[in-house]
Amino acid sequence: MPVQPLAHALTGARSSRTDVAEFAHALWLPVRDRLSPGRAAARLGGTGAHFDDDAAGLEGFARPLWGLVPLAAGGGDIDLDPVLAGIEAGADPASPEYWGEAVDRDQRLVEMAALGLGLALTPERFWDPLAPTSRDHLSRWLARINDVECNDNNWLFFRVLVNLGLDRVGSPLANPAGTEAALERLESFYLGDGWYADGAVGRADHYVPWAFHFYGLIYARLAGERDPARAERFRERAALIAEDFAHWFDDDGAALPYGRSLTYRFAASAFWGALAFADVEALPWARTRGLYTRHLQWWRGRDVDDRGVLPIGYAYPNLTMAEAYNSPGSPYWAAKAFLPLALAEDHPFWSAVPAPSRREPVRTQKHAALILCDDRDGGHVVGLAGGQNADQFRHGPEKYDKFAYSTSFGVSVPASGYWLHEQAGDSTLLLSEDGVQWRGRRAPEDVKIDDGIVWSRWRAFDDVEVETWLWPQLPWQLRVHLIRTGRPLRTAEGAWALDRTGDRPPTSRGPEPTTPGSASATTAAGFSGIRDLDGKRSGDVVRAAPNTNLIHPRTVIPTLLADLPAGTHVLRCAVLGSRHGEPAEWRTPVTPQPRTPITTPPVPLEGVLS
């Protein structure tokens, strides 16, 4: 019988510490059952990542430790013998299951961090039972992180955690100078208001709460006595970002699927647990607990496959959206959500009754170039995005540079570089010369954001420049594009991708099939529509290629279409979405409220931007 962790462990309106502990344990069991003979590797699937299979096996072994370490530290009754056997075999250079010596920017450096946490937080469970020879092997294997190059981003925290662990167990291989240098570099990435960039030219995304603040709060608790000033900075910065990040979650607990590495799933709740771990009451404990609990509950039924294993994907198994660095063990970074299991049951985080969500209707978050919108009528949280440079990641433009992201409608990535249905162009403007190959916004050249409005300038071709303004007029989102093109173009602008699973027929086109200027679809999952504010584009409903959307495996995308000659053009539209069927607003005129532009447009935009 496959283990269904969320279905079994989080069944009530409130999940207690005991429930979450059972969930962490249940998530581990299918991994334990797939450990190699020497227990040093977990073989969880047959797909590959850019790194070698030995590192992938280590990843499958180590990532569940983000849950097992706090579970053990909190007094959990768990058999760690398989873990200890795996450590002995994996760290032994003479073992056939040796993990291998780390080199520069090696995946092994990433996985060392969970072992470092085990030594730092509960050495009596993860160090003391090892034989002296095994301790020496482990400390030497871990200390390699001080001799090689880490990626110049959140990876530097792995060096910090490893050295915290080595120092805790008294290893002479701990490197305080290396730790200090890593921490100074990490702090140089701080942007203000609680936000970091993930590296010198990095992005602001989920890695800020689930990496920078998560590790920083661990450091604040474990090293606060010897480094009190930095520990206080880490606590203060985490408190600053809490209100911003709370706006990424809807009433049901779903998080905004924005940015890379979303296969880590409920790692999005790790920040809330880390606040508790470091005793930072950034929000009232009841509110923090509510955000944490609802997010874990949202994943019930969306987490594991029929083997009880967390697969690569998001709300369903999906390799289309995967990163090049996702091996079958990668999703188990979700176990970072279990950090508060290190706390006793009477900690105020656990004793608090989860409080309902509370969000502002519109909240501008300049460091991430996002406008977070609470569309309560539509039943979802929306992020209007200015875009970030993410070209080095698979589907980076789709994960960062689409115009809007939703906790209900998600976002889509292309199945190929050809044809409109394969491109899955939800929440974007696609441009093409031939109607076969399409290009949307990617790596915008400039982005500006002000209170409730975001502008970007981007190029689809060398001689095609687009300026885009986005702003909410709830429940609508409004878009204006100023296009200067030196060539004829075909254009396609998409609304939300709507789940069509089980619907026959799945779509309708506009209020009437032949109505120009709009496109809409209604299914059992809700409504998605887009309206051209000038009535000059035609509407169609694109049946997207399967497995392109992160939340729904089959979708349709209402789309506006137009051909443009070379020259200067203005396109304006309004987009509407709801989980609850067609909203009344769809049948009424859209009257855009004038907004002051944050750049001066070179041509009049007909009163929408004034």
Side-chain angles (χ1 to χ4, degrees):
M1 177 71 68
V3 176
Q4 302 289 338
L6 282 170
H8 285 197
L10 299 177
T11 55
R14 174 184 177 187
S15 39
S16 68
R17 184 187 180 283
T18 299
D19 295 328
V20 176
E22 290 176 355
F23 173 22
H25 187 249
L27 202 66
W28 158 245
L29 294 179
V31 179
R32 182 200 64 186
D33 294 344
R34 288 165 175 80
L35 291 175
S36 56
R39 301 290 188 264
R43 308 297 184 188
L44 302 176
T47 59
H50 70 75
F51 46 83
D52 61 85
D53 285 344
D54 287 342
L58 165 63
E59 185 178 62
F61 168 85
R63 293 205 168 185
L65 297 181
W66 289 106
L68 298 184
V69 168
L71 181 61
D77 182 16
I78 181 169
D79 177 14
L80 293 177
D81 286 347
V83 175
L84 296 171
I87 291 172
E88 290 181 341
D92 182 357
S95 166
E97 296 195 7
Y98 179 49
W99 292 322
E101 184 176 74
V103 297
D104 289 344
R105 298 177 299 281
D106 195 327
Q107 187 65 27
R108 290 163 179 80
L109 306 176
V110 180
E111 312 316 326
M112 287 178 180
L115 291 161
L117 179 66
L119 302 190
L121 189 57
T122 179
E124 67 278 5
R125 300 293 303 273
F126 289 91
W127 175 263
D128 294 350
L130 297 176
T133 301
S134 296
R135 294 179 191 175
D136 181 65
H137 289 156
L138 178 60
S139 59
R140 290 179 182 278
W141 184 80
L142 288 172
R144 179 69 176 163
I145 201 169
N146 294 315
D147 300 327
V148 298
E149 182 180 345
C150 290
N151 283 329
D152 190 31
N153 56 15
N154 73 89
W155 278 39
L156 293 169
F157 265 119
F158 306 145
R159 180 173 290 156
V160 173
L161 292 179
V162 165
N163 281 303
L164 280 180
L166 292 174
D167 180 73
R168 175 70 190 276
V169 299
S171 170
L173 300 178
N175 187 336
T179 298
E180 179 62 25
L183 289 166
E184 288 182 0
R185 181 60 173 163
L186 287 161
E187 290 205 78
S188 75
F189 302 145
Y190 186 63
L191 300 173
D193 304 313
W195 286 89
Y196 290 84
D198 190 15
V201 291
R203 291 137 302 280
D205 52 21
H206 276 286
Y207 274 82
V208 179
W210 80 26
F212 277 84
H213 288 300
F214 179 81
Y215 304 132
L217 289 167
I218 290 175
Y219 182 84
R221 171 166 170 172
L222 298 184
E225 289 188 3
R226 64 183 168 195
D227 193 1
R230 179 175 281 121
E232 185 60 24
R233 287 197 299 274
F234 284 164
R235 289 188 171 98
E236 289 174 352
R237 292 170 184 172
L240 283 173
I241 203 176
E243 190 64 59
D244 272 356
F245 193 49
H247 283 68
W248 289 44
F249 295 80
D250 69 16
D251 287 347
D252 293 335
L256 192 72
Y258 173 77
R260 67 187 179 102
S261 297
L262 294 175
T263 197
Y264 302 155
R265 292 182 173 86
F266 41 91
S269 65
F271 172 72
W272 307 117
L275 288 174
F277 180 76
D279 286 318
V280 178
E281 192 175 6
L283 306 174
W285 285 123
R287 194 168 166 220
T288 300
R289 178 70 188 290
L291 288 158
Y292 176 85
T293 294
R294 282 188 299 274
H295 185 62
L296 291 183
Q297 290 174 335
W298 185 84
W299 283 100
R300 183 167 57 221
R302 297 181 175 96
D303 56 335
V304 297
D305 61 20
D306 57 5
R307 304 170 299 155
V309 171
L310 283 176
I312 297 171
Y314 192 64
Y316 61 95
N318 185 356
L319 287 175
T320 304
M321 57 79 67
E323 315 292 349
Y325 52 79
N326 287 160
S327 85
S330 295
Y332 282 84
W333 245 6
K336 293 163 79 171
F338 302 131
L339 182 61
L341 290 175
L343 305 173
E345 185 110 35
D346 61 358
H347 189 280
F349 172 81
W350 289 118
S351 60
V353 176
S357 297
R358 191 181 75 210
R359 294 178 298 275
E360 302 166 22
V362 176
R363 188 175 178 93
T364 302
Q365 301 184 7
K366 65 179 182 179
H367 298 295
L370 286 172
I371 301 171
L372 274 293
C373 311
D374 185 14
D375 184 3
R376 287 193 175 269
D377 291 340
H380 62 142
V381 165
V382 175
L384 302 181
Q388 304 187 56
N389 189 336
D391 275 0
Q392 66 267 49
F393 300 113
R394 181 182 290 171
H395 304 312
E398 289 74 29
K399 293 171 181 177
Y400 289 89
D401 297 337
K402 288 199 171 182
F403 301 146
Y405 299 79
S406 164
T407 56
S408 293
F409 300 103
V411 69
S412 303
V413 298
S416 75
Y418 303 96
W419 308 114
L420 199 55
H421 71 286
E422 291 275 306
Q423 193 68 32
D426 60 336
S427 299
T428 194
L429 173 66
L430 296 175
L431 305 177
S432 174
E433 292 184 289
D434 57 9
V436 177
Q437 294 179 297
W438 295 85
R439 299 183 182 186
R441 184 174 69 174
R442 55 170 284 272
E445 296 175 351
D446 196 8
V447 178
K448 290 182 170 57
I449 188 166
D450 203 348
D451 188 20
I453 185 168
V454 62
W455 166 89
S456 63
R457 184 178 65 245
W458 51 283
R459 291 183 184 274
F461 302 90
D462 288 344
D463 60 347
V464 178
E465 182 185 78
V466 183
E467 292 185 62
T468 294
W469 290 261
L470 309 171
W471 71 97
Q473 186 173 306
L474 295 176
W476 298 90
Q477 54 168 289
L478 301 184
R479 308 175 188 166
V480 173
H481 310 288
L482 174 62
I483 303 172
R484 303 180 193 86
T485 174
R487 66 184 76 188
L489 291 173
R490 296 183 180 184
T491 72
E493 184 162 8
W496 298 117
L498 181 65
D499 182 16
R500 66 173 176 85
T501 303
D503 279 72
R504 299 181 184 180
T507 68
S508 62
R509 298 184 178 187
E512 297 176 1
T514 58
T515 299
S518 68
S520 69
T522 302
T523 71
F527 170 87
S528 174
I530 185 168
R531 180 176 297 168
D532 187 275
L533 294 178
D534 300 302
K536 60 188 181 184
R537 287 183 277 180
S538 63
D540 197 0
V541 176
V542 176
R543 192 178 177 98
N547 307 319
T548 48
N549 187 267
L550 270 63
I551 297 179
H552 309 292
R554 302 173 190 85
T555 63
V556 291
I557 304 171
T559 303
L560 297 175
L561 303 170
D563 292 342
L564 303 178
T568 299
H569 308 273
V570 175
L571 300 179
R572 310 186 310 156
C573 70
V575 177
L576 189 63
S578 175
R579 293 166 52 190
H580 311 306
E582 182 183 302
E585 290 86 353
W586 181 248
R587 299 288 175 166
T588 60
V590 184
T591 305
Q593 300 169 0
R595 293 301 307 261
T596 301
I598 48 181
T599 63
T600 302
V603 299
L605 297 184
E606 302 178 24
V608 175
L609 294 168
S610 62

